[in-house]
RNA sequence: GCCGGAGUGGCGGAAUUGGCAUACGCGGCGGAUUCAAAAUCCGCUGACUUUCGGGUCUUGUGGGUUCGAGUCCCACCUCCGGUACCA
């Protein structure tokens, strides 16, 4: 009796599956819409209700768009390679091939139980050879265009995980996975030249519809800054020291220089009396973790080298110090210090009693550095100029003297593209006896990952693939000279950097994607996922897209037209959902008790999609009760359809129906799912007490409900006598006639306070309403004996009288 | 510190262009139904006050603009996210 989701839902899921109702690309006459979820890591713990929030939102959009006449591409797959999957496998003592397969099964089962309208035929995992074939192919293309290269680089080495990590896999000097110590260490690595795309990645942000916070995070990561390089002579040395500054206008105020401890000049410049102290300092700096070095609370440390550089403006000699607040990885690893106008330099100068000179007026350099605007003083030919003029004039001067030039630098580093781990895409390269790298020919792809029984990290900096002797020993393509395969694998972020292209044409064994199909579907119209990928994944995939665009593979150079970050679902206790707190909610449990439609409706009703929201069992029950009430709108106590189906719809019924259609349509389009559902609840509440249930009202409502509670909607639709699924029915259109009201009740304010309400025709004129308002007895109480200064009538909204 | 976002009932949240603050849901209270309970249905539910007509106050705090401010402007406080010596 009554609404039984457990019985209804599997039946409709089977029906959709059987009739392949969500296949994309079969209606090429319709406009396209590509809606994509950030695909999940198939972890061992399965999906929780945080994942299903985003997936439900995108599914509602997909279903709504289909009903609005779009050919919708809505695919799903699994990001299975990489550290999380491998760590899980190690912890459980299972081979990652096995655990990945099992986890994907669990995830698929959960996703299917939610009734998502994915085109499952397009599903793949990044660990499928038929997929990573193309990840490897892109790598070969990058290599061909000199965007992939090997370099001895300072990397984040995690001894416990036995691999290098990307910067965003390191948090506070610990690994993101497991929280193990990470040390800086030089290693020869494959790198991708993402820095070559820095400006385009920056400019592209202006064209896309991303949350402002994401854009600003990406801009910060790219960290473009304009300035100048300048070369300083060194006293009693042939060496010339190159520094980078964004404030060349303050050259006259530079009183000392600082080298990074890793700077090659440190050992060359340090004189005998200072040697011991400098060496000790550099060793200490190398030992310290990044977090210790950058700790602002630590204050400034440093040692004098005994050497001096010459200030090209003043001719003064400036002591050269070594300090770890200067980083080797940015700029030239050497800076000129202007303590008057840079707080870090000011702190340093104060600590070590170095001279401070004011060159920009406006502050008090005896108290703190002055970084604001101002007129230049003590600056020779720059005196009297403002900041902008002085920067420009000083660079001109440097260029004229051939001791410097204008330059743009970025904080963004090249992408370290190698992990000393087993579970990743093999790099399609062989190394000959002289250590030279040779790419494999495209025909050799995919280079399959060999099966290894012992896949644990070696911990030595070598890849576990070293153990695959047979696989590793090979020859140089073409020449036949002996060689070994590259043993490092690609990082986890490789597989997710172009997957949206592969979903368009997942079975193509001749190309990453057919160009015609790519043209049809790109870009992704709506991309939904968590904000944790704000920088890493999004920057990497934007980079690859730009590259693929340049070589003619991808028709667009920005992959995602619109990005939305769903918020986090917190536990009922308002804390982050985590096993540790025991507050994790499994969608399968919810589905078993209340049904997938209740879960879908509840999660969308919780609040704005982008906000963090706490789970509430009571709230879930509310969603269930709403669907129960929908059921009873259609059926009587014996589960028989209401006998009043053939009744004529009343004007009231038509008005509430069309208001609902209009609001749900617009709110869905704008991803305001919570208010769309509130409107459907209002519809049910208002319709409930009315005596008749005309088909003309129930049928359109069924369609309006369908994107949100698809199983229930199908069941009701079929009960109304339809043989076909409502999936491709047209979404109802709101008739403007029923949206307009003839009479409205408007509040009447006197001096801004509501004192009365009157009912008037919407289109009443100023004079008539004034007459009616003044005739109102409540209004007269407040106006008696007073002068009416002003009469405000906002048509259809309200009246305000100003009296004195 | 800097950048981004947010502060509205007991709780989640709503509010077109500046126009009835608290929609919708949860929770609570009362009632109907029931042998009883669950479920369901109906009503009430921001605070204070009241002669039960109403009155006063209320959207983090303090100012301002306006006939009118949750919404706009200025200053500040708190929370969340990001970032952290990038010269």
């Amino acid at each position: 009796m009554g609404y039984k989701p457990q019985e209804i839902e599997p039946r409709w899921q089977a029906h959709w599956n059987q009739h392949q109702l969500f296949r994309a690309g079969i209606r090429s006459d319709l406009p396209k819409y590509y809606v994509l979820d950030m695909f999940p890591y198939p972890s061992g713990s399965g999906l929780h209700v945080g994942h299903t929030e985003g997936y439900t939102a995108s599914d509602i959009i997909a279903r709504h768009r289909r009903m609005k006449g779009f050919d919708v591409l809505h695919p799903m797959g699994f990001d299975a390679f990489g550290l999380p999957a491998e760590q899980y496998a190690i912890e459980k003592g299972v081979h990652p091939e096995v655990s990945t397969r099992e986890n994907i099964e669990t995830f698929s089962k959960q996703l299917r139980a939610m009734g998502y309208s994915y085109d499952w035929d397009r599903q793949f995992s990044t660990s499928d050879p038929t997929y990573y074939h193309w990840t490897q192919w892109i790598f070969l293309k990058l290599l061909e265009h000199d965007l992939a290269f090997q370099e001895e680089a300072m990397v984040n080495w995690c001894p416990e995980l036995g691999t290098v990590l990307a910067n965003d896999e390191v948090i506070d000097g610990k690994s993101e996975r497991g929280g193990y110590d990470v040390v800086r260490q030089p290693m020869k690595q494959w790198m991708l030249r993402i820095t070559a795309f820095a400006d385009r990645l920056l400019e592209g942000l202006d064209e896309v519809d991303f949350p402002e916070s994401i854009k600003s995070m990406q801009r910060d990561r790219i960290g473009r800054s304009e300035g100048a390089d300048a070369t300083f002579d060194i006293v009693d040395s042939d060496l010339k020291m190159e520094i980078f500054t964004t404030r060349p206008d303050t050259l006259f105020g530079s009183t000392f220089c600082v080298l990074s401890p890793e700077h090659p000049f440190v050992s060359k410049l340090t004189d005998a009396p200072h040697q011991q102290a400098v060496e000790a300092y550099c060793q200490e700096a190398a030992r310290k973790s990044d977090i210790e070095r950058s700790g602002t609370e630590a204050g400034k440390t440093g040692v004098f080298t005994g050497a001096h550089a010459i200030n090209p403006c003043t001719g003064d000699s400036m002591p050269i110090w070594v300090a770890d607040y200067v980083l080797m990885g940015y700029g030239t690893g050497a800076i000129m210090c202007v303590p008057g106008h840079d707080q870090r330099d000011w702190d340093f100068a104060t600590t070590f009693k170095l001279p401070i000179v004011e060159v920009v007026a406006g502050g008090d350099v005896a108290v703190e550095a002055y970084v604001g605007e101002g007129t230049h003083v003590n600056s020779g030919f720059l005196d009297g100029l403002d900041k902008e003029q002085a920067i420009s004039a000083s660079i001109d001067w440097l260029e004229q003297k051939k001791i410097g030039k204008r330059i743009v630098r970025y904080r963004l580093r090249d992408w370290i593209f190698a992990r000393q781990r087993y579970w990743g895409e093999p790099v399609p390269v062989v190394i000959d006896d002289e250590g030279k790298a040779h790419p494999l020919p495209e025909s050799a792809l995919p280079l399959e990952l060999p099966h290894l029984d012992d896949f644990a990290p070696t911990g030595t900096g070598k890849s576990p693939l070293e153990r695959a002797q047979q696989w590793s020993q090979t020859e140089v393509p073409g020449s036949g000279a002996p060689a070994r395969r590259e043993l490092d694998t690609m990082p986890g972020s490789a597989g997710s950097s172009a997957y949206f292209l592969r979903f368009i044409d997942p079975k193509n064994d001749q190309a990453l994607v057919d160009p015609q199909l790519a043209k049809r579907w790109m870009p992704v119209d709506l991309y939904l996922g968590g904000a944790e990928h704000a920088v890493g994944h999004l920057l990497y995939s934007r980079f690859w897209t730009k590259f693929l665009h340049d070589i003619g593979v991808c028709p667009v150079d920005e992959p995602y037209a619109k990005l939305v970050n769903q918020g986090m679902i917190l536990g009922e206790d308002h804390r982050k959902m985590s096993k540790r707190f025991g507050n994790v909610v499994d969608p399968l449990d919810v589905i078993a008790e209340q049904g997938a439609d209740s879960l879908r409706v509840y999660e969308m009703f919780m609040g704005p999609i982008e906000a963090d929201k706490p789970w509430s069992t009571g709230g879930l029950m509310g969603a269930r009760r709403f669907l129960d009430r929908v059921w009873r709108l259609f059926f009587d106590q014996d589960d028989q359809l209401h006998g009043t189906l053939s009744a004529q719809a009343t004007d009231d019924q038509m008005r509430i129906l069309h208001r609902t259609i209009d609001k749900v349509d617009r709110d869905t389009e704008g991803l305001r799912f919570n208010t769309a559902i509130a409107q459907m609840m209002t519809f049910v509440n208002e319709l409930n007490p009315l005596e008749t249930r005309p088909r003309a009202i129930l049928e359109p409502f069924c369609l309006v409900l369908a994107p949100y509670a698809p199983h229930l909607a199908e069941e009701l639709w079929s009960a109304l006598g339809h043989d076909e699924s409502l999936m491709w029915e047209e979404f109802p259109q709101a008739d403007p006639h029923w949206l307009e009201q003839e009479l409205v009740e408007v509040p009447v304010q006197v001096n801004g306070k509501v004192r009365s309400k009157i009912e008037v025709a919407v289109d009443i004129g100023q004079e008539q309403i004034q007459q009616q308002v003044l005739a109102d007895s409540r209004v007269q109480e407040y106006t008696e004996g007073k002068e009416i200064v002003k009469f405000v009538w906002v048509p259809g909204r309200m009246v305000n009288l100003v009296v004195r």
Side-chain angles (χ1 to χ4, degrees):
Chain A
M1 281 302 139
Y3 169 48
K4 292 248 181 351
Q6 294 83 353
E7 187 268 318
I8 293 173
E9 291 177 355
R11 190 150 41 75
W12 284 105
Q13 283 160 18
H15 178 91
W16 296 331
N17 222 15
Q18 206 182 336
H19 294 85
Q20 303 230 21
L21 286 170
F22 310 122
R23 269 176 72 182
I26 46 176
R27 295 293 306 275
S28 54
D29 53 315
L30 299 177
K32 70 97 181 179
Y33 196 82
Y34 187 176
V35 50
L36 182 67
D37 295 298
M38 289 184 187
F39 64 168
Y41 287 115
S43 73
S45 34
L47 293 172
H48 62 72
V49 292
H51 295 97
T52 53
E53 185 200 16
Y55 300 159
T56 300
S58 64
D59 191 61
I60 288 167
I61 294 295
R63 287 173 178 273
H64 181 242
R65 287 279 171 168
R66 278 191 203 99
M67 296 177 79
K68 297 286 279 186
F70 288 82
D71 186 12
V72 172
L73 175 55
H74 189 217
M76 181 47 91
F78 302 97
D79 190 13
F81 265 146
L83 226 42
E86 188 172 5
Q87 278 308 105
Y88 175 81
I90 290 169
E91 280 156 28
K92 299 281 166 175
V94 198
H95 197 280
E97 282 166 22
V98 177
S99 64
T100 298
R101 192 168 58 238
E102 287 172 355
N103 294 345
I104 287 177
E105 268 167 43
T106 308
F107 272 57
S108 302
K109 190 176 156 204
Q110 289 176 307
L111 291 168
R112 285 170 186 273
M114 289 297 291
Y116 293 140
S117 62
Y118 293 125
D119 182 351
W120 282 110
D121 276 357
R122 293 171 187 263
Q123 177 200 327
F124 58 77
S125 157
T126 52
S127 58
D128 296 341
T130 50
Y131 175 76
Y132 68 69
H133 179 152
W134 300 103
T135 309
Q136 292 172 330
W137 180 82
I138 294 168
F139 181 85
L140 289 181
K141 289 289 157 194
L142 287 161
L143 201 58
E144 194 181 308
H145 289 81
D146 195 34
L147 292 168
F149 60 101
Q150 279 185 294
E151 194 173 87
E152 189 86 13
M154 281 302 252
V155 296
N156 304 301
W157 170 251
C158 177
E160 200 71 31
L161 292 172
T163 185
V164 302
L165 297 171
N167 286 332
D168 44 273
E169 290 170 323
V170 182
I171 294 161
D172 291 344
K174 306 270 185 192
S175 65
E176 184 185 23
R177 278 302 282 196
Y180 306 117
D181 283 330
V182 173
V183 294
R184 302 283 291 171
Q185 171 172 322
M187 283 176 77
K188 195 172 184 185
Q189 300 290 331
W190 283 102
M191 313 270 286
L192 298 188
R193 216 181 296 281
I194 190 172
T195 50
F197 288 73
D199 266 330
R200 286 170 66 190
L201 288 167
L202 207 52
E203 285 157 12
L205 290 174
D206 297 333
E207 299 161 23
V208 293
D209 183 5
F210 287 11
E212 207 41 55
S213 61
I214 299 291
K215 287 190 181 186
S216 93
M217 278 188 235
Q218 295 203 16
R219 288 191 186 109
D220 288 352
R221 173 60 64 90
I222 294 166
R224 181 191 155 100
S225 63
E226 294 178 11
D229 275 358
T231 309
F232 291 176
D233 288 330
I234 294 169
V235 177
D236 297 332
S237 169
D238 296 334
L239 293 172
K240 306 227 182 239
M241 191 170 85
E242 186 151 53
I243 60 101
F244 171 63
T245 179
T246 53
R247 294 294 304 275
D249 59 310
T250 59
L251 252 168
F252 283 89
S254 179
T255 54
F256 61 101
C257 288
V258 174
L259 295 175
S260 160
E262 291 87 15
H263 198 285
F265 280 16
V266 172
S267 55
K268 293 177 189 164
L269 290 178
T270 305
D271 65 9
H274 296 92
Q275 198 160 355
Q276 211 181 341
V278 169
E279 268 175 26
Y281 183 82
C282 291
Q283 272 169 25
E284 179 69 12
R287 197 194 53 78
K288 277 197 228 170
S289 68
D290 266 15
I291 187 75
E292 283 174 298
R293 269 179 75 158
S294 67
T296 37
E297 73 283 355
K300 295 279 179 281
T301 63
V303 286
F304 180 42
T305 60
H308 290 82
I310 294 167
N311 184 317
C313 292
T314 61
D316 293 345
S317 68
M318 305 184 287
I320 300 174
W321 286 62
V322 176
D324 63 8
Y325 80 93
V326 175
L327 310 173
M328 195 57 220
Y330 184 77
T332 60
I335 61 169
M336 68 170 201
C337 296
V338 185
H341 305 284
D342 181 289
Q343 193 57 43
R344 294 154 304 180
D345 297 346
W346 190 93
D347 293 342
F348 194 84
T350 306
T351 307
F352 296 105
K353 309 266 183 297
L354 293 160
I356 298 171
V357 177
E358 180 186 58
V359 288
V360 181
D364 182 358
V365 299
V367 181
E368 61 177 354
Y370 177 67
V371 295
E373 306 280 328
T375 306
H376 281 66
V377 294
N378 303 323
S379 293
F381 63 92
L382 297 175
D383 279 351
L385 299 181
D386 67 21
K387 183 171 159 184
E388 202 184 322
Q389 294 165 333
I391 288 177
S392 171
S394 59
I395 296 178
D396 289 348
W397 182 84
L398 286 167
E399 288 184 340
Q400 216 163 34
K401 295 216 125 195
K402 298 206 175 357
I403 53 168
K405 60 178 189 299
R406 189 179 301 274
I407 196 164
V408 177
R409 290 199 183 269
Y410 303 89
R411 188 152 37 208
L412 185 69
R413 307 297 159 74
D414 280 326
W415 176 8
I416 297 171
F417 201 70
R419 298 296 118 98
Q420 294 70 43
R421 293 292 290 236
Y422 171 67
W423 193 237
E425 300 85 349
V427 175
V429 157
V430 302
I431 317 282
D432 66 23
D433 285 349
E434 274 140 41
K436 190 169 181 300
H438 302 265
L440 291 182
E442 286 181 25
S443 60
L445 300 184
L447 171 60
E448 291 203 31
L449 183 66
H451 179 86
L452 275 187
D453 286 324
D454 180 10
F455 54 87
T458 64
T460 60
K462 295 268 178 61
S463 162
L465 283 176
E466 198 181 23
R467 302 193 190 101
Q469 287 289 339
Q470 286 231 308
W471 177 83
S472 162
Q473 282 174 20
T474 182
E475 48 193 44
V476 175
S479 82
R484 65 158 181 86
R485 292 193 190 282
E486 171 57 61
L487 299 175
D488 286 356
T489 51
M490 297 187 196
S493 39
S496 56
S497 293
Y499 75 113
F500 44 86
L501 279 170
R502 192 63 182 167
F503 274 138
I504 290 170
D505 194 11
K507 303 214 160 78
N508 193 333
D509 58 4
Q510 298 302 308
L512 167 63
V513 58
D514 177 273
Q516 284 308 311
L517 289 174
K519 204 167 171 201
R520 160 78 171 156
W521 290 106
M522 286 302 283
V524 174
D525 295 282
L526 177 64
Y527 193 32
L528 231 122
E532 64 272 21
H533 299 112
V535 191
H537 160 64
L538 287 173
L539 217 49
Y540 296 145
S541 54
R542 291 182 56 226
F543 159 42
W544 276 28
T545 301
K546 287 180 188 301
F547 168 66
L548 292 170
H549 174 70
D550 289 353
I551 64 168
V553 172
C554 180
V556 295
D557 87 331
E558 281 293 340
Y560 320 113
K562 180 182 170 79
L563 171 74
V564 173
N565 293 125
Q566 87 266 17
M568 212 188 316
I569 303 291
L570 306 171
E572 193 136 29
D573 53 6
H574 287 56
R575 290 188 296 185
K576 196 175 159 152
M577 245 187 219
S578 145
K579 259 187 215 155
R580 186 155 43 108
F581 301 135
N583 59 1
V584 179
V585 181
D586 181 342
L588 285 181
D589 293 342
V590 178
I591 292 168
E593 282 176 35
Q594 306 302 339
D597 283 339
S598 291
L599 176 55
R600 293 170 62 111
V601 167
Y602 171 56
E603 289 206 274
M604 293 303 98
F605 183 64
M606 290 171 86
I609 189 73
E610 65 279 6
D612 293 347
K613 303 158 289 262
W615 181 263
S616 150
T617 305
L620 170 70
M621 295 310 297
R624 170 60 192 261
R625 278 196 286 272
F626 163 62
L627 296 182
D628 282 332
R629 280 199 292 271
V630 170
W631 181 269
R632 284 197 301 274
L633 210 55
F634 287 69
F635 294 104
D636 63 21
Q637 291 208 313
D638 304 317
D639 280 345
Q640 298 298 307
L641 272 177
H642 258 276
T644 55
L645 238 51
S646 53
Q648 188 77 24
T650 66
D651 285 2
D652 280 347
Q653 288 172 330
M654 289 303 275
R655 266 193 282 273
I656 177 64
L657 172 69
H658 283 271
R659 252 186 287 141
T660 301
I661 293 170
D662 179 58
K663 179 125 180 86
V664 173
D665 193 20
R666 283 184 295 114
D667 283 354
T668 304
E669 174 110 29
L671 288 83
R672 296 180 297 271
F673 307 112
N674 52 334
T675 49
I677 291 168
Q679 179 61 36
M680 290 191 266
M681 288 172 167
T682 304
F683 170 88
V684 172
N685 292 346
E686 288 194 28
L687 211 66
N688 225 358
L690 303 180
E691 285 177 3
T692 60
R693 306 288 154 79
R695 175 181 286 273
I697 300 295
L698 294 187
E699 277 196 348
F701 177 71
C702 224
L703 299 174
V704 166
L705 178 69
Y708 290 82
H711 310 87
L712 174 59
E714 289 273 27
E715 186 72 13
L716 299 173
W717 187 249
S718 118
L720 289 172
H722 297 278
D723 294 332
E724 298 281 322
S725 161
L726 51 61
M727 199 65 46
W728 286 94
E729 290 292 324
E730 197 185 324
F731 198 84
Q733 287 203 332
D735 181 346
H737 170 72
W738 294 109
L739 298 178
E740 281 159 19
Q741 273 178 297
E742 283 146 37
L743 286 177
V744 276
E745 192 191 46
V746 296
V748 179
Q749 297 181 351
V750 180
N751 286 345
K753 293 204 161 105
V754 180
R755 297 302 183 183
S756 181
K757 289 181 179 178
I758 60 168
E759 192 158 87
V760 293
V762 181
D763 51 1
I764 192 169
Q766 169 101 13
E767 281 182 19
Q768 290 119 297
I769 192 159
Q770 190 157 347
Q771 239 171 30
Q772 273 196 47
V773 165
L774 296 179
D776 186 83
S777 61
R778 287 273 301 142
V779 173
Q780 282 169 357
E781 280 177 45
Y782 287 92
T783 53
E784 209 175 347
K786 300 204 168 128
E787 184 197 352
I788 293 167
V789 183
K790 198 165 181 177
F791 186 95
V792 182
W793 162 232
V794 184
R797 300 297 254 153
M798 50 87 64
V799 169
N800 191 15
L801 289 173
V802 187
V803 301
R804 198 159 48 207

